[in-house]
Amino acid sequence: MKKRLTFLTILCMLSIIVYGQGKDSIAHTLLVAEYDYICHTSNAEGKEVNVNYGLTLQVAKDMACTMGRKRHDGENDKSEQLLYVPTTWQNYPQGKMTSVETIPPYRYLTEEKITEPKWTLLAEHDTICGRSCQKATGEYGGRKWTVWFAESLPTRFGPWRLSGLPGLIMRAVSEDGIHQFECRKVEAVKEAITYSVPDDAVRCKRDQFVKLRNRTFGNANYLSNPTYYIKPAEIESMTIMDGAVLLGSVPIDMKPAKFQPLDY
C-alpha cells in the first residue's frame, strides 16, 4: 500500500508545474445558485454522521465555477477549509474541467477533458426553489446519479462536476444515497468569475489525483491518525488549533469522518 501510494505521489510530483498566484476575471455570471451538500457517513466510533457544507455555483454563458459558499462570500472560515472543498471550473479552458483540491500538506491543480454523462430523461417532475424540474439518471465518476433539472434555467451546468442537461441541475443524489446536492436559491446576478490558483499548487493528471486522494483518505489509518502519510520533511511549519493542526497554510481535521469519495 505504501509503495503504491508513494508511486502515485511521485507521478504527480513529476508533472509539477508551479503556478503563480492568478486571480483573473475570466467571465461574468448570468445566474448564481446556492446548494446544500450532504454526505452520509460515519465517524471513528462507527456512529452515523452527516458532513454538510454550502456550495455556490456561478454560471456564465459558456462556463461555470463551483466553490465553497463561504469562500464565495469572502469568509476565511477554517471549518470549510478542513473539509477540503474543491473549486472546479467547468469548460475552462474551453473543453476542459479544472479543479483545485487538497491532500494535506499540498494543493493540487487537475485538468481533464469534459466528459458529460449520458443522461436518461424520465417523465417524473418535482418542484425545487419554485421551479418545475424534470428527473434524469446517468453515471459520472463511477457513481450513478439521479438528478432534477430546470429547463426554465437554460444552462448545461450543475454543481460540482455534473453537467450535460438542457437546464440547471437543481438536485443530484447518488444511487447509494451517500451524496446529495440540493439547490436552495437561484438568482440572476452579474458578478465576476475568477480563476485563482495558489502559488504552490501542484499540477497533476486527474486520474492520478483521484487515485492518490482515495487511497490516502480511504486508508484504514486515516480515521485514527489523519496525518499517517505525511513525512516530517514535508512539514514546513505546524500550528496547533482547536481540534485541528495547521501544516503551513493547510488545516487538518484531527477527528475526520470516514471518507466517501464523490468520484473514483
Side-chain angles (χ1 to χ4, degrees):
M1 179 75 72
K2 286 185 177 180
K3 289 183 178 178
R4 181 66 182 273
L5 185 61
T6 301
F7 176 68
L8 288 170
T9 304
I10 291 172
L11 283 177
C12 286
M13 297 301 288
L14 286 174
S15 60
I16 286 179
I17 295 179
V18 178
Y19 281 71
Q21 177 71 30
K23 201 168 185 179
D24 299 326
S25 174
I26 55 176
H28 284 83
T29 59
L30 300 175
L31 60 88
V32 175
E34 292 186 0
Y35 294 81
D36 291 326
Y37 166 73
I38 300 174
C39 174
H40 302 289
T41 185
S42 57
N43 60 20
E45 289 74 42
K47 181 180 178 181
E48 292 185 1
V49 295
N50 287 333
V51 174
N52 56 78
Y53 53 81
L55 288 175
T56 297
L57 173 65
Q58 298 175 301
V59 179
K61 181 181 178 181
D62 298 314
M63 60 88 59
C65 178
T66 300
M67 69 184 73
R69 187 183 304 155
K70 292 180 179 180
R71 179 178 182 275
H72 171 264
D73 294 343
E75 299 180 32
N76 184 21
D77 189 280
K78 288 290 187 292
S79 64
E80 185 176 272
Q81 293 178 41
L82 286 169
L83 297 170
Y84 315 132
V85 182
T87 299
T88 300
W89 294 267
Q90 297 184 58
N91 201 36
Y92 184 82
Q94 187 173 357
K96 303 285 186 178
M97 191 175 310
T98 54
S99 290
V100 173
E101 302 188 45
T102 302
I103 303 174
Y106 301 111
R107 294 181 177 90
Y108 293 82
L109 175 66
T110 69
E111 181 182 296
E112 65 177 338
K113 182 180 178 180
I114 290 179
T115 303
E116 294 181 338
K118 294 181 179 179
W119 297 105
T120 299
L121 304 186
L122 304 175
E124 186 177 341
H125 284 73
D126 199 354
T127 300
I128 304 171
C129 294
R131 294 183 179 273
S132 177
C133 298
Q134 185 175 349
K135 187 177 182 179
T137 57
E139 185 173 337
Y140 180 79
R143 286 189 178 276
K144 293 182 179 179
W145 292 89
T146 297
V147 305
W148 283 259
F149 66 96
E151 283 194 86
S152 61
L153 298 169
T155 176
R156 72 178 193 270
F157 301 112
W160 181 52
R161 309 173 74 84
L162 299 173
S163 63
L165 285 161
L168 180 69
I169 296 173
M170 303 285 280
R171 177 189 295 149
V173 184
S174 62
E175 184 181 49
D176 55 16
I178 291 176
H179 302 283
Q180 178 173 343
F181 300 92
E182 181 81 14
C183 186
R184 62 193 293 269
K185 182 171 68 173
V186 184
E187 294 182 314
V189 176
K190 185 176 181 180
E191 63 183 33
I193 299 179
T194 59
Y195 182 68
S196 179
V197 178
D199 289 334
D200 57 356
V202 176
R203 185 180 177 90
C204 187
K205 292 182 178 180
R206 180 68 190 177
D207 60 344
Q208 293 174 1
F209 171 80
V210 170
K211 289 178 182 178
L212 177 60
R213 181 200 63 195
N214 291 356
R215 286 181 178 275
T216 301
F217 295 151
N219 188 291
N221 293 315
Y222 177 67
L223 278 176
S224 59
N225 179 20
T227 62
Y228 78 94
Y229 62 95
I230 300 176
K231 299 177 181 178
E234 296 178 309
I235 302 174
E236 294 183 359
S237 64
M238 179 183 294
T239 305
I240 307 298
M241 304 185 301
D242 293 336
V245 171
L246 192 66
L247 297 183
S249 60
V250 179
I252 296 180
D253 187 353
M254 298 308 291
K255 294 183 178 180
K258 181 180 179 181
F259 178 64
Q260 304 285 356
L262 273 163
D263 54 342
Y264 293 96

